Amino acid sequence: MDKIIFYEQLAKILDLEEVKPENVLIDFEAWDSLSVLSVLAMADAKYGASIKAEEIRSVVTAADLADLVASKQK
Amino acid sequence: MNFTFHRKRITGVLVVVPENERSFSEDMKNFNFPEARSLKLKEVMGFDKRRVVEPGVCVSDLAVFGLEQLFNRGLLHRDEIDALILVTQTPDHFVPATSSIVQGRLHLKPDMLCLDISQACAGFVVGLMQTFMLLEQESIKKVVLINADVLSRKASPKDRNIYPLIGDAAAITVVERDSEDSVIHASLKMDGARGHALTIPAGGLRMPATLETAILEDVGDNNLRAKDHLFMDGAAIFNFVQTEVPPLIEGLLATAGVSKDAVDYFLCHQPNRFMLQKLADKMKVPHAKMPNNVVERFGNNSGVSIPTVITYDLGDRLLREKLQVCLAGFGAGLTWCAMLVSLGKLDFNLITEYK
Amino acid sequence: MKCIFKNKKISAIVAVVPKEEYRFDDEYPVFKLTEDKAKRFKKMMSLDRHRIAPPDVCASDLCQYGLQQLLNAGALKKEEIGALLFVSQTPDYFMPPTSNVIQGKLGLGHDMVCLDINQGCTGFLLGFMQACLLLEIAALPKVVLLCGDTCSKQMDRCNRISYPLTGDAGSVTVIERCERESPIYMDVKNDGSRHKAIMIPAGAFRMPATPETLKLREVEEGVVQNLQHIHMDGPAIFNFTMGDVPPQVEEVLAFSGDTRDSIAHFLFHQPNPFILKQMADKMQIPQAKLPNNIVSLYGNCSSVTVPLNIALNCGEPLRRETRRVCLSAFGVGLTWISAVMDLGPLGVCKVVDYERT
């Protein structure tokens, strides 16, 4: 998985210019259940990855999220 | 409305009653009536003991317990269940259906139907009709019918009309196709205009539960009841049963071309002994043919009352014999229905206690 | 669980919605959303307006009104109603069944079946299945299927995730026998192990209603709920919708021998436009064939979403012709039901506003 593209897609979902791997997700103002839904949709549509509720709730940083999606990628 | 079903049979019945037993003598202490009058009621109605759930126990708990018993005893395999029909008026939740919860707790297969039907005292006959209709579909070979209610949790302890007679229970009935060319006749009528005679006024969306609906009110007959509680207009229900049930059964027997004498037993819903004796008298059926002893042991346990008569009064006999029975359910709706069916030989016919 | 029904048809559909319409642009300050966040939410979910029933109007009132309309118009006679089904998760009472209450109010005869079924999102298809089962029994003339829910009463007005996407509605569908075989192919699946994904914890018997169960808690910024409200697990619902429903739709298309080309319309339950679009794209169903406008115009109306979808988006052609349709509904249970059938021509197929009588 090209993580640069992933961070760009994540930034778009969060309405930000840029997202860095070390950014903590809950620090983003836009990180809410809506964003979670958008991320799930993006993971499914673009990476064929099906993420469970508990899994997405346990990630801390953007890098954790990228790793999670990569691990589920088909 | 008349129905005819072909090639369907009941293959087993399991009734689950709570271990917890209450007696009329205990309950009597809460009533606003002189003891002598209460004792008279006990004698006439046939109140004595009843089984009620402990606080917090729900319909799905009784159902899951019963089904696990059947699985453990090898009497039923979970993968064989093509449809689960759950008939109750005391569901675990508004959302989701209780049959879904039971399916989930027992890890039953996804390729099946789960259906909750709202019915109480007439629920066994209505539920059986549902199972017979489903078994017309090729993909459905075995249906499990669950009748269950925990109405004691909606009974006011200060209401002498309700409290001493309510029992809780669940029944699990397995229904399959019959290789023999059997016929089952049924008749059903409903009248919503009289439905207020048996109701729980608050708790649904028409009158949501609030602090006000929990307040006990003196409803004028020396009983105290809240809008959250089960209400029964005793006189109206008695008249309803006496007026409507005999012609329904007579009509059913005529349609089926079966005489009263050819029926081995009339297995009716069990509101109380008095009502059943009067019903038997009106229909000119000997009391021995219309068992009326469920209330004094288990209470009036709603849709489970007919399965309770089947297991309690006919127990092992139905493992060895075939009996021609007329089932009759009547109650909330108002609903009244009857079914002429050949019962037996069953694979199992048991009562078990929920702990 | 597969079923086939033959010689059955839907002959009328009336969807009833409250007159009271509320626009997201007017409501969003209540949700404690900044204008930016509100814009983002509105865009993502294609929100516009929804219909909410007044406090004293129940789902049964909406359904009863629709049925009365059909009776008044002579499109249906009282004596033709062999069975009245009421499918809902917002019934009038625990006891008696709401179908009996409506039977009493309309003065219907005694020689009939009244049945209340507890179901949400899949309620229309489940009720339709039930109607077909009943019609196998010769004595029954027609079945009237009422689907209705007032889910707005099962959430807080300030819950920004749930409230703007919800709508109240009722529907009346008449189902009867027909000469043509016109097989209806249906598949039903259930997974109760995931039932917590959509649930109301308190109010019935697992957790009775008390002052405690009415206390509001903020589970997330701008999302308040109590234990008597609908609790939804967004990710679980998303995974269910994307993972379980498409294979079933494929299954039922194979079952009926249809393809995407032979189906004129895919008329699905609509949880929200975002999820539905994801699903449509994944399944490669062209947008033109899969209407996705119910939430924007009325809100997610639980089981009424499917009949409302049919009446709103295909009402006109269906009054004249027969179209091959694929219906699918999914949600509470978790339950998912899909069907392929011919639909139309329908005598009545419309959406009406509820009027107090």
Side-chain angles (χ1 to χ4, degrees), chain B residues 110-166:
Chain B
D111 230 343
M112 66 178 285
L113 177 71
C114 297
L115 188 67
D116 268 27
I117 290 175
S118 166
Q119 255 299 343
C121 316
F124 186 64
V125 175
V126 171
L128 282 176
M129 287 173 49
Q130 181 70 25
T131 65
F132 300 153
M133 287 193 289
L134 281 167
L135 285 162
E136 292 291 317
Q137 283 294 311
E138 210 185 294
S139 61
I140 301 178
K141 297 183 171 51
K142 201 173 261 199
V143 182
V144 168
L145 169 63
I146 302 175
N147 292 84
D149 269 307
V150 289
L151 280 164
S152 69
R153 295 174 55 186
K154 284 287 183 185
S156 164
K158 295 197 179 294
D159 186 349
R160 207 183 60 157
N161 288 339
I162 292 282
Y163 196 69
L165 57 100
I166 296 293

Side-chain angles (χ1 to χ4, degrees), chain C residues 102-116:
Chain C
I102 297 173
Q103 179 201 25
K105 285 186 182 174
L106 289 176
L108 301 179
H110 299 175
D111 241 331
M112 61 182 290
V113 182
C114 295
L115 221 56
D116 270 28

Side-chain angles (χ1 to χ4, degrees), chain C residues 328-339:
Chain C
S328 183
F330 35 90
V332 178
L334 298 178
T335 307
W336 55 119
I337 306 179
S338 300

Side-chain angles (χ1 to χ4, degrees), chain A residues 46-61:
Chain A
K46 300 222 163 29
Y47 299 98
S50 179
I51 315 280
K52 292 204 186 92
E54 322 79 79
E55 289 168 338
I56 202 160
R57 285 195 260 267
S58 65
V59 297
V60 179
T61 63

Side-chain angles (χ1 to χ4, degrees), chain B residues 301-313:
Chain B
N301 49 24
S302 184
V304 190
S305 61
I306 299 175
T308 308
V309 178
I310 292 174
T311 52
Y312 185 63
D313 285 295

Side-chain angles (χ1 to χ4, degrees), chain A:
Chain A
M1 178 174 106
D2 185 336
K3 295 214 171 149
I4 307 224
I5 294 188
F6 179 83
Y7 294 127
E8 279 173 13
Q9 288 162 335
L10 185 57
K12 200 164 167 225
I13 288 174
L14 296 169
D15 234 353
L16 296 167
E17 286 289 318
E18 193 199 0
V19 164
K20 296 201 184 81
E22 63 269 22
N23 288 147
V24 173
L25 294 165
I26 51 166
D27 288 344
F28 293 125
E29 212 208 321
W31 184 251
D32 57 12
S33 46
L34 216 55
S35 298
V36 167
L37 187 59
S38 302
V39 166
L40 291 175
M42 186 252 284
D44 184 275
K46 300 222 163 29
Y47 299 98
S50 179
I51 315 280
K52 292 204 186 92
E54 322 79 79
E55 289 168 338
I56 202 160
R57 285 195 260 267
S58 65
V59 297
V60 179
T61 63
D64 292 338
L65 187 59
D67 289 341
L68 174 61
V69 175
S71 72
K72 300 265 179 155
Q73 187 175 13
K74 286 205 173 64

